[in-house]
Amino acid sequence: MANAAAKDGQDPQLASQGITFAVLPFENRIDQLLVTPCLPGSASSSPSTTSTSGGGSTSVPSAPGGAPTTPPTTATGKLPALGWNSWNAYQGNINEAKVLAAANQFISLGLKDAGYQYINIDDCWANMARNSSSQRMVPDATKFPNGISGLASQIHALGLKIGIYSDAGTNTCAGYPGSLGYESIDASTFSEWGIDYLKYGEPNKSISPRNIADACYFLFIDNCNVPSNWTDNYNPPGGDWYNSNSAIRYRQMGAALATQSRPIQFSLCIWGNANVWDWGARVGHSWRMSGDSSATWSYITSIINTNVAHISAVKYGAHNDMDMMEIGNGALTVQEQRTHFAAWVFLKSPILLGTDLSKLSSAQLDIIKNKELLAFHQDATVGTPAIPFTPYSGAPTTSPQEYFSGTSSKGTHVFIINTSSSSATKQFIFSNVPGLGTSGSFKVHDMWSGSDLSGTYTASSSFSASVAAHDTVAYLVTKV
Ligand code: GAL
C-alpha cells in the first residue's frame, strides 16, 4: 500500500496507516471554499484549548493580548528567494536522497551559478509525535537517516541554504506536529539544526474577506488543525488584521525566530488570508497570496490578478508569494512556462522550483536560468516590482493586465503578456511607459535572447511585436 501510495505522491508513513490526502487541481480546491454570511459577535472567546500534538497534552496560549510585535530580521530576506521546494514534486513522499539530489542538481545544472540558493524541505519530514521529554520535533529517521542537521551540513557544504516547513496550528495539514504553542522550542531547534528558511503554513479555519466586495461575507477555508479560539470569524480588533488571531499566530513564531542567533528567512504560507498583504512585512519576508498552485494557465492568470491587486506591498524584504513553480509539471506550453517565470520575476515573487530537476528539458532550463530576467528579480538597487501601465490611449482591457513596466539598475523594462489564446500584435507608445519621458530616442533590448533589436525610436513612436499565445516578451528600453 505504501508503495502504491508513494507513486501518487502520498506520504509512506501516513499511507501505511491508511491515511492519504488528495492533491487537487486548483479549480477543485477553489470549489471547496464555501461563502457563508458573517455572524456578528460569533467570534469564539474561549480562553485556551488543549493540543495533543507531540503525544503530550499542552495548553495552547490564548490570543491575543500582549502579542509580540518583533519585526523580521534584516539579516536575510531582502531579495525574493530563489530556490527549490519538495512539495510540488513529491508531496509527502520525501527523503534525504531526493533533497540532496536537488542540491547536487543546483550545482550540475548551473542553477546555483544562476543565483538559486535555497533547498527547502516541505511537510512530512517529522515523526508524528514530539520527543516526550524535550517536546522537540523529531525527524523521521527512515526518511532522514542523518537527521535534518546532518542534511543541513551537506547542503551547506555545497554552498547552499536549507529550508524547512512547520505550521501555525497544532498539526500540519498532513497531520504532523505543528508549532502553535511550541514556537520557542521549534525556532531554537531549527536554528540549532542550521535551518536558513522557514515556510510556516496556514493549517486551518482562517476566515477572512477575500475578493468579496461585501465585507459581511467571508470565505471559510477549513482544512486542518487550528484551535477555534485561534481562528478569525469576525473583524479583528480595531479592524486591523495585524491584530487578528491569524496574524498573532505568525507573530509568535516571528518573535521566536528573532531570538535565535541564526538569521532565518520567514515565509508565511497563509493563503492570502487575514489581509496578509497589509501586515506581512511587519512579521515575515514573504507571504503566500493564495491556496496551492497548479500547472494550469488559469492558476497563472488568477495569481497575477491577485498579486497586482496588492502590488504596493512589495518592496525590499517584503514579497507577495505567488507559490512554487510548476515548470516541469503538468502540460503548460513553452509559452505559458515563459509567462509563469516572467510574471514571478517581474512581480518579484519568491521563485522556488517545484519539480524533479533531473526531468527538466534544456528549453526549461533556459527559461529558469535566464540571466537578464533573474537580474531584474534580484536587482540590488531597485526593490519594487513592475506595475501595469496603459500602452496607448484606447487599449483594450484584459484580465490579467498585459502591459507592465518597472525599473532596475539597468534602466526601464517592459513586459507584455499575450493573454489571448492566439498569436497577437502588441503595441505601446514609448512616452506611455512610466519613466521614459516625452523626449529623446530609445533602443530596445530583448531580455530573453540577450540581443538588441535593430533601430531606434522616439518618445512618440509606437513599438509593435508579434507575441505568441500566452507568451510574455521582456524588454529593456534605454535612451540613446
Ligand atoms: C499547504 C501549503 C502547501 C504545502 C502543504 C503541506 O498548506 O499550501 O504548499 O506546504 O501545506 O502540507
Side-chain angles (χ1 to χ4, degrees), residues 340-365:
H340 182 6
F341 182 71
W344 269 236
V345 159
F346 70 68
L347 296 174
K348 302 215 171 179
S349 168
I351 295 182
L352 296 168
L353 306 174
T355 199
D356 173 352
L357 300 172
S358 69
K359 298 202 172 125
L360 288 173
S361 67
S362 57
Q364 289 169 323
L365 283 167

Side-chain angles (χ1 to χ4, degrees), residues 34-356:
L34 305 176
V35 178
T36 308
C38 68
L39 303 171
S42 65
S44 165
S45 58
S46 60
S48 71
T49 191
T50 298
S51 158
T52 54
S53 169
S57 187
T58 306
S59 183
V60 175
S62 300
T69 54
T70 324
T73 176
T74 53
T76 184
K78 177 181 174 184
L79 296 167
L82 280 177
W84 176 88
N85 172 294
S86 57
W87 187 254
N88 285 355
Y90 303 116
Q91 292 87 52
N93 189 17
I94 47 167
N95 57 39
E96 177 177 299
K98 287 176 179 168
V99 176
L100 261 187
N104 284 310
Q105 282 147 355
F106 265 26
I107 316 287
S108 60
L109 298 173
L111 289 160
K112 181 187 172 201
D113 286 346
Y116 290 85
Q117 199 178 18
Y118 289 95
I119 296 289
N120 292 351
I121 306 167
D122 209 287
D123 200 358
C124 310
W125 56 268
N127 281 346
M128 285 305 201
R130 290 173 177 271
N131 178 295
S132 56
S133 54
S134 69
Q135 296 298 315
R136 284 181 157 214
M137 290 195 204
V138 181
D140 179 330
T142 313
K143 293 173 176 170
F144 295 97
N146 296 300
I148 301 299
S149 61
L151 177 56
S153 306
Q154 296 178 77
I155 287 176
H156 289 151
L158 294 170
L160 299 170
K161 294 186 171 172
I162 182 169
I164 205 160
Y165 175 88
S166 183
D167 77 30
T170 56
N171 296 82
T172 73
C173 283
Y176 293 88
S179 294
L180 187 63
Y182 294 87
E183 291 88 348
S184 295
I185 294 175
D186 292 350
S188 67
T189 305
F190 297 152
S191 174
E192 195 182 292
W193 286 348
I195 293 296
D196 305 295
Y197 184 111
L198 174 64
K199 173 179 175 182
Y200 201 47
E202 167 67 345
N204 179 31
K205 280 199 174 168
S206 206
I207 302 164
S208 65
R210 202 171 108 147
N211 302 328
I212 294 181
D214 182 352
C216 208
Y217 277 78
F218 294 81
L219 285 177
F220 280 57
I221 301 173
D222 184 351
N223 38 352
C224 336
N225 313 292
V226 168
S228 60
N229 63 314
W230 276 100
T231 59
D232 292 294
N233 53 3
Y234 201 56
N235 277 324
D240 180 356
W241 284 91
Y242 179 68
N243 293 322
S244 65
N245 289 339
S246 300
I248 290 168
R249 286 184 284 117
Y250 284 85
R251 286 163 59 183
Q252 291 183 168
M253 179 52 91
L257 293 173
T259 64
Q260 309 309 316
S261 51
R262 192 174 184 84
I264 298 180
Q265 191 165 151
F266 192 27
S267 150
L268 320 182
C269 179
I270 189 171
W271 287 17
N273 289 325
N275 288 11
V276 62
W277 39 81
D278 288 341
W279 53 266
R282 297 163 70 185
V283 179
H285 302 99
S286 63
W287 44 88
R288 277 271 297 277
M289 299 295 283
S290 71
D292 291 3
S293 61
S294 63
T296 59
W297 180 243
S298 62
Y299 178 78
I300 292 169
T301 52
S302 118
I303 195 68
I304 292 172
N305 277 333
T306 306
N307 257 31
V308 167
H310 303 289
I311 197 74
S312 60
V314 180
K315 55 186 186 217
Y316 279 141
H319 299 104
N320 291 342
D321 181 347
M322 299 163 81
D323 200 10
M324 299 164 298
M325 302 301 284
E326 296 283 6
I327 290 177
N329 307 330
L332 294 170
T333 66
V334 172
Q335 291 75 21
E336 289 167 346
Q337 293 174 60
R338 279 157 54 99
T339 294
H340 182 6
F341 182 71
W344 269 236
V345 159
F346 70 68
L347 296 174
K348 302 215 171 179
S349 168
I351 295 182
L352 296 168
L353 306 174
T355 199
D356 173 352

Side-chain angles (χ1 to χ4, degrees), residues 1-70:
M1 160 133 201
N3 284 347
K7 279 193 199 132
D8 291 342
Q10 302 292 342
D11 174 68
Q13 188 183 163
L14 292 178
S16 68
Q17 298 164 39
I19 304 167
T20 56
F21 49 95
V23 182
L24 297 171
F26 177 69
E27 293 82 355
N28 297 14
R29 287 175 222 151
I30 287 291
D31 290 346
Q32 292 178 331
L33 308 179
L34 305 176
V35 178
T36 308
C38 68
L39 303 171
S42 65
S44 165
S45 58
S46 60
S48 71
T49 191
T50 298
S51 158
T52 54
S53 169
S57 187
T58 306
S59 183
V60 175
S62 300
T69 54
T70 324

